[in-house]
Amino acid sequence: MQQIAIKTVILCGGQGTRIRGVADDLPKPMIPIGNMPVLWHIMRLYSAHYINDFVLCLGYKGSVIKDYFLNYRTLSSDLTINLGDHGSVEFHNPAEENWRVTLADTGEKAQTGARLARVRKYLRDSELFCLTYGDGIADIDICDLIEFHRSHGRIATVTGVRPPGRFGVMRTDRNAGISVVQDFQEKPQTEQGWINGGFFVLDQRVWDYVSDDEGLIFEREPLQRLAQDGQLVMYEHSGFWQPMDTYREWKLLNDLWGSGNAPWDKKTCSKVFTATK
């Protein structure tokens, strides 16, 4: 069988209406953590696991994402412009990222199921591919996720995560009639229940569950049908996972990155995964 690289599809059509005030002129995946878009951080996580082929489903202000990657080398390198030589450009430090990026316009108003269906033509050459959202980051072991998916033989794997608590939790001790705080955790993860954290692995049979219908939401009818058919399996991830839906969450991610100890940074594995054709 012919061996090819696994691809990752990233849903990049969101507007990020609840995070306005941070970057009103940007699509949500381009909102920065540090000096790089959250999209870059997500792609870098996959790349650390030797997955470097991406299909981006563009929607709201997709041209901003296209411009970013068209100018990626210019933005990330020192360069010399020779004005007298037809404006030729000499790059002094090549980009570290060896990524192949397909930028697909899937419609400004399309929902997630339709966006996935509209990039099918870019995914025909492998029996499985990854799918995730362009606004959530984790310290997930992508290699282990793919191995898990291959082990069960179903159509779809979804990563289940513990949702961050809405409020801080205080552990107290009753002493002399008063409650003394022993420990305080701000927004700890809950210990009960799992939610959809993205980071899917899917095979080619998934196309029977999605369509080009603009209003099709992947998380509703397609996932419900997959579950009813016994074709959806959960990969349990109890480590770090954080969406970026609000200003507070954006600030949390930036503070973690600025500390130099971001949980999702420099995650690697020793395997190179390939799909078969």
Side-chain angles (χ1 to χ4, degrees):
M1 284 189 175
Q2 179 185 357
Q3 300 292 313
I4 63 169
I6 287 178
K7 295 181 180 180
T8 293
V9 178
I10 304 179
L11 298 166
C12 298
Q15 296 187 32
T17 54
R18 287 186 291 168
I19 200 170
R20 289 306 175 211
V22 174
D24 293 348
D25 58 337
L26 295 175
K28 193 175 182 184
M30 293 301 294
I31 293 176
I33 297 175
N35 61 352
M36 303 298 284
V38 62
L39 175 60
W40 177 88
H41 289 268
I42 297 165
M43 295 170 71
R44 189 167 178 261
L45 173 65
Y46 280 97
S47 183
H49 293 83
Y50 302 101
I51 298 175
N52 294 300
D53 198 335
F54 300 94
V55 179
L56 307 187
C57 300
L58 307 184
Y60 175 75
K61 293 194 174 181
S63 60
V64 175
I65 300 176
K66 285 185 177 181
D67 287 343
Y68 176 76
F69 284 103
L70 282 169
N71 295 295
Y72 188 87
R73 191 176 181 191
T74 299
L75 294 170
S76 60
S77 302
D78 293 340
L79 51 89
T80 298
I81 303 172
N82 298 303
L83 298 179
D85 186 21
H86 305 289
S88 64
V89 179
E90 178 184 356
F91 293 94
H92 297 291
N93 47 320
E96 295 181 5
E97 293 75 29
N98 184 27
W99 298 345
R100 183 175 186 267
V101 185
T102 300
L103 300 148
D105 184 357
T106 55
E108 185 165 332
K109 297 181 180 179
Q111 297 292 337
T112 51
R115 292 192 191 283
L116 176 58
R118 291 174 184 182
V119 297
R120 179 179 181 178
K121 60 186 175 182
Y122 301 117
L123 301 166
R124 296 184 187 278
D125 57 353
S126 62
E127 97 280 14
L128 64 86
F129 58 91
C130 298
L131 168 72
T132 197
Y133 305 107
D135 61 355
I137 195 70
D139 63 353
I140 186 169
D141 185 333
I142 302 296
C143 297
D144 192 58
L145 169 64
I146 293 171
E147 277 196 337
F148 173 79
H149 175 81
R150 284 181 163 164
S151 73
H152 62 64
R154 269 81 165 189
I155 295 173
T157 298
V158 57
T159 296
V161 298
R162 301 291 194 185
R166 186 178 176 189
F167 302 104
V169 172
M170 292 182 292
R171 187 167 57 88
T172 63
D173 181 44
R174 193 79 173 171
N175 186 3
I178 61 172
S179 294
V180 179
V181 177
Q182 294 184 314
D183 185 38
F184 180 84
Q185 290 181 292
E186 186 175 4
K187 296 183 71 175
Q189 288 186 314
T190 61
E191 295 182 356
Q192 297 181 346
W194 298 90
I195 64 170
N196 168 16
F199 297 98
F200 298 89
V201 184
L202 308 168
D203 75 29
Q204 291 290 328
R205 294 173 290 172
V206 76
W207 306 122
D208 293 334
Y209 293 82
V210 296
S211 74
D212 193 55
D213 179 357
E214 190 166 78
L216 182 67
I217 299 173
F218 182 65
E219 299 77 13
R220 294 185 184 173
E221 181 186 342
L223 286 189
Q224 288 286 355
R225 287 178 55 211
L226 283 163
Q228 291 166 5
D229 293 347
Q231 291 295 327
L232 179 63
V233 179
M234 184 179 73
Y235 174 83
E236 297 182 5
H237 176 64
S238 297
F240 177 84
W241 174 84
Q242 181 62 58
M244 192 183 69
D245 290 327
T246 65
Y247 172 83
R248 179 170 180 164
E249 291 168 342
W250 169 81
K251 188 176 186 306
L252 169 65
L253 289 170
N254 272 273
D255 288 346
L256 286 171
W257 183 255
S259 73
N261 294 303
W264 66 90
D265 189 29
K266 300 177 182 177
K267 298 296 291 184
T268 61
C269 71
S270 59
K271 302 172 184 177
V272 179
F273 277 100
T274 58
T276 57
K277 183 176 180 180

